[in-house]
Every structure is written in C-alpha cells, then in structure tokens.
Amino acid sequence: MISVERPDSLSLRISRVLQEETSHQLDLFLFVPGELGLGPRVLAEEAFYHAAIHVKRTYYSDRYRLPMVLSRLAERGRLDPDQYRLGMSLYAYQYVEALERSNHSLLEAARRVRRDEKAAVGKDKPAAGKDKAAANNDRATPDQEEKAAGSQAKGRNEEKEETSLEARLQEHAELAAGILKRLRRQQPAEESLNRYYVTIDNYLSWFTEQRLLALVAVLPRGARFREIRERLLAICAEEGAYREAKEYNSERVTLDPTRMSNKMRLLRRLIEFPVTLKQKTQELGGGEQKAVKALATAVVMVFVSLGLLRVRDALSDITALFVLAMAGIYALREVFKDDLRNTLWRLLRRGRPKWRRQYLDPTRNVPVGHQLEWFDYARFLKLDEEIQRVRKRSVAQREEVVLHYRSRSRMSPTRFLSGYEHTRETLTLDLSLLARLMDKGSHRVYRLEKGQVVREEVEKRHLINLVIREVQGDQPPTLQRWKVVMSRSRIVDLERVHAEGPGHEEAAPDGV
C-alpha cells in the first residue's frame, strides 16, 4: 500500500511497507508543465537526484512491543539491553509516525471547518436581508424556497463534519494520553536502560505537546469546540509539568525555543538510529567512464596521427602552412574527442542503473540488501502503455516534461534482526527545485457581485501529475496518479485521482 503525504510546504513523502521475501520495483513519473522550461541543461539529472530524492528504510513490525513488558524482561535478565533499546525505539518511532499522520488529517479537517465557518459568516448578512424581504411578502417564490432548502442541506453537512471532527479529536487525544501512560507504567531500574528510557519519554512528551498545540491553534473559535480545546490544553499542560517535575530539560533549554527544538531534533535522531538501516550509495560506471574516455581519445588520436602523416607527405618541410595545418588538426581533435566520448557514454549507459544503494543493519553493520536506481528525462511516447493510459494526457499537456525515477531492490530477511521480516521505505521528494522555476507574481481576476465589480489577486499555480507504479514479486502492478497543485511558495493541494491494482479499485476516469 502506497501513501503520499505533504510533510511540509514543498515536499512530498511517499511511504510503503515492503514484503521482503520478494523483489520490488518502484517507478515515479513526474509530469512537469513545459512552460517552466525544465530540461537537462537547466537541471541536470544527477543534480536533481542528489538534491531532491531522499530515501530512508526502517525496520517495520505490526506487533507493538509494549515498553512495560520490555522493562520487566530486561530486569529479569531475559532481554538483552540492545534488544530493549531496539524495541523501545520501534515503539516510539511507530507512535511518532502514527501521530504525525493522524495529526495531519485532523489539521486539514479543522482548516476546512474553519473556512466553512468564515464563509457562512460572510453570507449571513446578505441572507438575513433576503429573509427579511421574503418575510414581508405573502408567499415565497420557488427560487427562494430552493435556495433555502440548499442552504439547510449545506448547514446539515457542515454540522455533520463538525461532529465528526469533534469525535476524531476526542479519540486522538485519548489515544495519545493512553499510549504515554502505558509507556510510563514500568521504568527500568538499570542505569544504562533508564537513560535510554528518559530520552524516549522526554521526546515523546514534547512531541505530543507540540502536535496537540498545533491542533488547538487551528480549531474553530466558539462554544462548539470549547470542551475538546480545554481537553487538549489540559494534556499539554500535564506534559509540560511532567517534564519539569522529572527535570528532563534545564531551565535554560526550556525557556529558549531554539535550544529546545535543536535538542529534540537530536533526540529524535537517537530514537530513529536503531531502527533505520544504514546506507552506502555508490555511483555506477566509474571504471566504464574511464574506459570510454580512453577509447575516445585513442580513436581520435588515430585519425590525428593519420592526418599528420598526410600533411608531412604533402608539405615535406616545416613551414608556416605546416604549422597551421597541425593547429587545425589538433583543434578538430579537441572538438570531436568530447563529442565522441559523450556519445559513446550515452549509448553504453542507456537503460542501465546509475546508482547502487547498499543497506546495512545499524547495530551489527552487516549487509541486509541492496537497491539499484535510475533517474532520467523521458519522452511521453516512449513510456509504457499503462503509464500513458493512467496519465490520460490531452492536447493541452503535450508540452509536459517527464522525469522518471526507478528503484529495484532485493533484501535478505534472514539477515534482519530477530522478529522483523518487513521494512518501511520513505521516499521524500523535494519540489523546491521546481518551485524556483515558477513565477513570483500574481494576476488580477475580476468578477461581478451584486452589481459591483470585485477585484481579487490570484497567485499563479501549476499542476504537476505524479504517477506511481509499484511491482512486488509476481503480483500485478499497483498504479496511482496524484494531482499536485503548487505555487512558488507552497504545495496548495494534493489529491489522488486514480488507483488500480492489488488493494485498489480502479478509479473513475477523469478528464484532466
């Protein structure tokens, strides 16, 4: 199952859980509008790969290892300290990932409710005037009755969404508080284990407080969400008092947001380290590139030598004409040598992987798998038929530039740590390189409202299509298409418009 999220304003996070007993292939196709002027001369393939594509793999398990059980086993000597740290890290990492995903969806829902409330308040005054005018008449017109019915239906939908958001927030708060309580039921007595426990407890307390405060900041104002707002604030106050009572952070760090943020970022890296696979990236073709360079130089020098012999036979003495002829031959050598080398290199590397990524276990430092990666500019007509079908490109998008990333991996589950058979891959796609090619300015849009001309400033936006194809072993491919609406400053909207394959029902066709 592939999920695509927006971790920040200009990045996409693509996550998937891999069944490691089979080989895997992932293809990403970015369809970029041609008006941005993107091309190999503007942004080289290697530059985009190193700056915009970041891959991370972690151990994954759907069995939650409760810290209380781990602490008791460690105290009885039945659990190795390294296994305790690994289990605690996995527990904390799964909690953080789940809280981030849940918090993101709740933030989007809260913003929608808040926008709807503002829009309803803006329409209250005109609607009140119309209701008063209708009350003065003996009978309401059919148009007025239809508008009234429509507004009532919209009001019911908004009320239902608010009720759903309130219930989700309540469940979110109770789950977060309950997980933290289970974490703190059994604190290890051994000093080395206790230090690691304090690190995880400190970070999870602060992280939970930050995520809940972010929710409170966007909740709609009013009495409807007052109770849940007070509940969220109470949990945040309890966590702050808990960290202060435990003396997890010094007063100097607590009072300085920058120091606190930097410390928590370091604690998160310590938590992620035991469950995150190490990586070694190697650029392929280094020896072949030297061989191609030598071959191109040898071929060119053969023709240069033949040319010099012909010139010497024609001009037996060393004259000014002989010197000019030699200079011309060497100039041609410099021109054709680079062109020949580049042509031979492209022919040799066409369709072959450009990078090799090796994965190592973070504690034992032994190889557990490898991955081959490709990245290049592609032509739409040379893409596979299923990719062309999913894209559904129309006449308006024929100038699109296609960026293609492919990874093919194979892991060795027998070398994994005991109890783990799967990994979770997170690919972060940084679109800030594309945002720099977009215009800063905005344009004006005029509309007629109640006999008055209203002028609005509209930010220029671009539509980027992301097509994902995943193949696991002998299973049918999973295909998804996402619309990414972005401006120069941020990703405005992210929507999945097509999905097919295992675990998906084919989406309805769309015309964009």
Side-chain angles (χ1 to χ4, degrees):
M1 185 66 179
I2 303 174
S3 64
V4 182
E5 300 169 336
R6 216 177 349 170
D8 54 44
S9 57
L10 284 173
S11 297
L12 295 177
R13 183 169 58 198
I14 303 168
S15 305
R16 58 188 184 129
V17 176
L18 304 179
Q19 307 291 333
E20 295 303 345
E21 57 272 6
T22 59
S23 60
H24 311 90
Q25 179 174 313
L26 177 69
D27 290 277
L28 302 180
F29 299 88
L30 269 179
F31 295 85
V32 182
E35 59 183 313
L36 297 184
L38 180 65
R41 295 185 178 181
V42 176
L43 186 60
E45 299 163 350
E46 291 79 7
F48 190 93
Y49 170 83
H50 290 294
I53 298 177
H54 309 283
V55 181
K56 181 175 69 173
R57 282 202 183 186
T58 59
Y59 283 123
Y60 176 82
S61 175
D62 53 4
R63 294 174 294 179
Y64 295 97
R65 293 136 191 255
L66 297 180
M68 181 176 63
V69 177
L70 295 174
S71 299
R72 289 178 178 174
L73 290 175
E75 287 182 353
R76 295 172 183 174
R78 299 181 182 177
L79 191 65
D80 187 79
D82 291 336
Q83 294 179 346
Y84 173 81
R85 285 192 286 269
L86 180 63
M88 288 288 290
S89 294
L90 180 63
Y91 183 85
Y93 183 74
Q94 288 176 323
Y95 170 72
V96 168
E97 289 288 320
L99 188 63
E100 281 184 338
R101 290 195 299 270
S102 178
N103 214 72
H104 180 74
S105 62
L106 288 172
L107 285 172
E108 293 293 332
R111 291 190 182 105
R112 285 197 303 269
V113 171
R114 196 166 184 174
R115 284 196 301 266
D116 293 341
E117 285 189 355
K118 289 182 178 179
V121 170
K123 293 180 181 180
D124 279 346
K125 294 181 179 179
K130 291 181 180 179
D131 292 342
K132 185 177 180 180
N136 293 332
N137 297 330
D138 293 337
R139 293 182 58 188
T141 63
D143 291 341
Q144 292 173 343
E145 292 179 355
E146 185 178 353
K147 289 181 180 179
S151 62
Q152 290 176 1
K154 186 175 181 181
R156 286 194 296 269
N157 292 335
E158 293 177 357
E159 185 177 358
K160 185 183 298 184
E161 187 173 3
E162 290 180 1
T163 304
S164 173
L165 175 61
E166 188 177 4
R168 290 170 60 191
L169 286 170
Q170 186 70 31
E171 181 183 12
H172 184 76
E174 296 304 325
L175 283 174
I179 290 174
L180 292 179
K181 286 181 180 178
R182 287 197 296 271
L183 173 70
R184 296 162 182 164
R185 284 178 184 172
Q186 185 78 13
Q187 185 171 351
E190 187 177 342
E191 180 64 23
S192 61
L193 301 182
N194 186 64
R195 285 200 301 268
Y196 199 75
Y197 167 84
V198 168
T199 297
I200 289 181
D201 191 26
N202 187 15
Y203 178 77
L204 293 188
S205 175
W206 178 84
F207 182 79
T208 303
E209 177 186 358
Q210 291 298 307
R211 298 282 79 79
L212 297 185
L213 288 177
L215 283 174
V216 174
V218 300
L219 280 181
R221 306 298 178 185
R224 181 64 183 266
F225 293 93
R226 182 177 300 168
E227 183 179 351
I228 186 61
R229 183 185 291 107
E230 292 176 353
R231 173 60 177 153
L232 294 176
L233 291 175
I235 295 176
C236 295
E238 290 174 2
E239 292 303 318
Y242 174 81
R243 294 195 304 274
E244 185 176 356
K246 292 288 185 178
E247 297 181 351
Y248 283 163
N249 308 296
S250 64
E251 183 178 358
R252 186 180 181 183
V253 172
T254 303
L255 297 178
D256 189 345
T258 303
R259 290 177 180 270
M260 178 65 80
S261 177
N262 291 337
K263 178 180 179 179
M264 293 303 164
R265 188 169 65 246
L266 176 61
L267 294 185
R268 174 149 184 174
R269 290 183 61 185
L270 293 175
I271 291 172
E272 292 180 351
F273 176 78
V275 296
T276 303
L277 300 181
K278 291 182 180 179
Q279 301 181 21
K280 289 184 179 179
T281 304
Q282 176 187 2
E283 189 168 354
L284 301 178
E288 295 174 352
Q289 190 173 16
K290 293 179 181 179
V292 168
K293 185 177 180 179
L295 177 62
T297 303
V299 171
V300 171
M301 285 304 299
V302 168
F303 288 98
V304 169
S305 301
L306 292 176
L308 290 175
L309 292 176
R310 296 295 299 272
V311 170
R312 191 191 65 175
D313 292 341
L315 304 171
S316 57
D317 297 330
I318 299 177
T319 61
L321 184 60
F322 180 78
V323 173
L324 289 176
M326 287 186 61
I329 290 175
Y330 276 100
L332 292 174
R333 183 198 72 166
E334 294 300 320
V335 172
F336 288 106
K337 182 180 69 173
D338 293 338
D339 291 343
L340 179 62
R341 181 181 60 191
N342 295 335
T343 302
L344 290 176
W345 178 246
R346 284 197 302 268
L347 292 175
L348 181 64
R349 298 300 301 173
R350 179 179 296 174
R352 300 178 65 182
K354 296 182 178 180
W355 298 275
R356 186 177 188 273
R357 195 186 301 265
Q358 187 177 22
Y359 292 104
L360 307 172
D361 182 85
T363 55
R364 297 171 297 153
N365 209 32
V366 296
V368 294
H370 68 275
Q371 177 170 287
L372 300 176
E373 294 176 295
W374 294 255
F375 184 82
D376 52 17
Y377 288 87
R379 295 182 181 180
F380 181 81
L381 296 179
K382 291 188 176 182
L383 300 179
D384 297 339
E385 292 184 1
E386 58 184 6
I387 302 299
Q388 297 185 23
R389 173 178 56 81
V390 172
R391 173 61 190 95
K392 296 184 177 70
R393 193 170 69 163
S394 61
V395 178
Q397 290 90 30
R398 286 186 178 176
E399 298 299 325
E400 285 180 329
V401 178
V402 184
L403 296 172
H404 177 208
Y405 167 81
R406 169 179 290 179
S407 68
R408 188 177 296 162
S409 63
R410 180 175 288 276
M411 307 296 283
S412 301
T414 55
R415 297 185 179 182
F416 286 1
L417 287 179
S418 177
Y420 299 94
E421 299 178 354
H422 312 306
T423 59
R424 178 186 179 89
E425 182 184 78
T426 303
L427 188 149
T428 302
L429 189 61
D430 188 357
L431 299 181
S432 60
L433 297 177
L434 301 182
R436 296 171 189 169
L437 303 177
M438 300 179 182
D439 297 333
K440 290 183 180 180
S442 58
H443 58 277
R444 296 173 180 175
V445 174
Y446 299 89
R447 59 187 176 87
L448 188 62
E449 183 177 344
K450 300 175 186 177
Q452 300 292 329
V453 177
V454 180
R455 183 181 65 185
E456 295 181 354
E457 295 289 337
V458 179
E459 186 180 24
K460 190 172 183 180
R461 297 175 179 177
H462 298 271
L463 175 62
I464 296 176
N465 280 270
L466 172 64
V467 176
I468 304 174
R469 177 176 61 187
E470 181 192 28
V471 181
Q472 294 199 21
D474 298 331
Q475 297 182 6
T478 299
L479 293 165
Q480 294 183 2
R481 181 161 76 94
W482 295 76
K483 287 183 181 179
V484 184
V485 181
M486 63 179 297
S487 63
R488 185 180 174 86
S489 59
R490 63 191 179 96
I491 296 176
V492 180
D493 188 30
L494 175 66
E495 179 187 4
R496 191 182 74 182
V497 295
H498 185 94
E500 63 178 79
H504 296 290
E505 294 181 1
E506 186 168 351
D510 56 283
V512 180

